[in-house]
Amino acid sequence: MMEISFEHRSAAHCENGVTGNLLRFYGYDYSEPLIFGLSASLYFVHLPFVHLAGFPVTSFRPLPGSIFARATRLLGFKVSRTIFLRPKRAEKKLDRLLTQGIPTGAVVGMYFLPYVPNEYRFHFNAHNICVIGKEGDDYLVSDPVAVEKVKLSARDMMRARFSKGTYPPMGKLYWIRSLPKKEPDLPKLIRKAILKNCYRLLYQPGPVPWVGINAFKHLGNKIPKFPQKYGARRAVLHLAQLVRMMEEIGTGGAGFRFLYAAFLQEAASITGIAALNDFSERLTAIGDEWRMFAAEAARICKNRSAANVDYQTIGDRLKTIGDLEKHFFTDLEKLIKKS
């Protein structure tokens, strides 16, 4: 039996949790909101050409692995990330890292994790866990969605690491190689991360309609056309997929807004920019709007909506949320630039 002495803590979102637990192992105890904020990963995309469960992907964060990569890079850590074509090589590499006492992050398919309750097991290939040891044929795992450390058989581990479908993980592993040469200057890095997040939402990648602020209007205009385009049944399934991406897969739309709001509150204390507390309250209110959008959409899916709520009204609500976020991040950018 080999088990790395590793403190397990649960988290609201898996990749934030794994990143935070890995940094804590090396002596850097940062909160989950701070890690998320430093990664500048608050986002909105609707990708009609990428499908999950038969419907376009709507996401509120960048690709899996981005939070870990961005946060550690900004803080000055050196990390390694690798994927594999052959499961045997993937298994040997993981075992070798564990033998060296290196806790290792892994991207897995959630469907193949037997410790996850059946109602939460679905084909989602962007879940993050941290592997911290091995006992016989079982791996010891710190999964941020679990209350305590769990075990995963070697067979289930490989099935999860090489699950098929959208965004196949391909045995992906990531770990920390070396620590920053000097203590991170958090006030400076927070300012830099906030400006980066503002830029990504407001300006990147230019006029593309599927990404950032542009995606709100793009999807908001498409939602009212769901019944005509897909028919009644598939329109409901399409809308349900959107709600699922918001509320069940990862932290979702509103959840990430609340997490970033908590980051801004912490950032106000660290940087001394008191006005960030007001921005935290504003973003919390926007998160409430996301929750209302999800609730109204879910009622439509269940045929329980009010008479004045339909695909048109929730499409308009999404565009309104987009306007709120555009003004919010424009104002936030101005605040940081003059502070």
Side-chain angles (χ1 to χ4, degrees):
M1 174 181 177
M2 57 177 172
E3 179 177 358
I4 300 168
S5 180
F6 188 89
E7 181 184 359
H8 168 77
R9 289 188 192 175
S10 300
H13 179 258
C14 62
E15 192 175 344
N16 290 316
V18 169
T19 302
N21 286 339
L22 284 173
L23 294 181
R24 192 175 304 107
F25 176 81
Y26 291 100
Y28 294 82
D29 193 355
Y30 298 140
S31 71
E32 182 179 3
L34 184 59
I35 289 168
F36 183 66
L38 289 173
S39 72
S41 293
L42 189 71
Y43 222 43
F44 183 64
V45 297
H46 176 73
L47 305 176
F49 43 85
V50 180
H51 283 205
L52 178 66
F55 294 98
V57 167
T58 304
S59 183
F60 303 84
R61 50 149 300 168
L63 288 172
S66 300
I67 293 174
F68 172 78
R70 292 174 177 180
T72 52
R73 181 169 59 246
L74 186 70
L75 290 166
F77 290 84
K78 299 295 184 182
V79 304
S80 290
R81 295 176 292 165
T82 185
I83 58 174
F84 302 86
L85 298 178
R86 299 179 183 179
K88 280 294 181 184
R89 289 188 177 181
E91 186 174 37
K92 288 181 179 179
K93 180 62 175 179
L94 177 56
D95 290 350
R96 192 178 308 123
L97 288 166
L98 294 176
T99 301
Q100 295 170 359
I102 300 173
T104 305
V107 180
V108 297
M110 202 162 201
Y111 184 81
F112 296 106
L113 303 178
Y115 57 82
V116 174
N118 287 337
E119 57 268 28
Y120 294 110
R121 290 174 65 185
F122 49 91
H123 292 286
F124 175 64
N125 290 332
H127 187 58
N128 288 258
I129 61 175
C130 187
V131 190
I132 58 173
K134 195 171 185 181
E135 181 179 332
D137 197 41
D138 293 330
Y139 286 96
L140 305 177
V141 170
S142 168
D143 188 328
V145 305
V147 176
E148 299 177 346
K149 299 174 186 177
V150 293
K151 291 184 179 181
L152 192 62
S153 71
R155 176 177 179 272
D156 286 332
M157 174 69 79
M158 297 314 296
R159 291 175 72 196
R161 291 179 63 193
F162 284 89
S163 56
K164 307 298 183 183
T166 305
Y167 299 133
M170 299 179 67
K172 185 174 182 179
L173 298 176
Y174 55 93
W175 64 96
I176 293 174
R177 286 192 291 114
S178 64
L179 308 185
K181 294 182 179 179
K182 59 182 181 179
E183 193 68 20
D185 183 349
L186 284 181
K188 178 181 178 181
L189 297 181
I190 285 171
R191 288 181 172 88
K192 182 177 180 180
I194 291 175
L195 289 176
K196 178 65 74 174
N197 211 144
C198 292
Y199 174 77
R200 284 175 173 150
L201 260 171
L202 294 171
Y203 311 114
Q204 196 179 43
V208 174
W210 313 299
V211 179
I213 288 299
N214 297 335
F216 289 91
K217 184 177 180 180
H218 175 70
L219 182 56
N221 287 334
K222 289 181 67 174
I223 289 174
K225 301 174 184 176
F226 281 2
Q228 292 78 22
K229 183 175 182 179
Y230 298 107
R233 182 176 180 276
R234 284 191 62 79
V236 166
L237 293 175
H238 199 325
L239 190 58
Q241 170 80 339
L242 176 58
V243 174
R244 191 184 194 194
M245 295 296 292
M246 287 179 58
E247 299 295 323
E248 295 182 15
I249 297 178
T251 302
F256 277 129
R257 270 62 190 171
F258 295 141
L259 195 61
Y260 200 84
F263 158 68
L264 292 177
Q265 188 175 39
E266 188 171 350
S269 175
I270 296 173
T271 63
I273 306 174
L276 287 174
N277 285 311
D278 299 327
F279 279 85
S280 176
E281 292 182 6
R282 280 179 63 181
L283 191 56
T284 298
I286 292 174
D288 291 337
E289 290 295 320
W290 275 108
R291 283 281 189 255
M292 287 299 298
F293 172 87
E296 290 181 354
R299 291 189 188 104
I300 290 176
C301 294
K302 296 178 180 180
N303 198 26
R304 298 177 184 172
S305 61
N308 61 339
V309 176
D310 57 14
Y311 286 89
Q312 182 65 56
T313 57
I314 62 169
D316 291 342
R317 181 181 280 275
L318 182 62
K319 289 189 286 186
T320 298
I321 293 173
D323 289 338
L324 290 172
E325 294 211 357
K326 181 177 181 179
H327 290 130
F328 173 84
F329 283 99
T330 300
D331 293 345
L332 181 60
E333 182 182 47
K334 290 178 181 177
L335 172 68
I336 298 301
K337 284 184 175 180
K338 73 177 184 180
S339 297

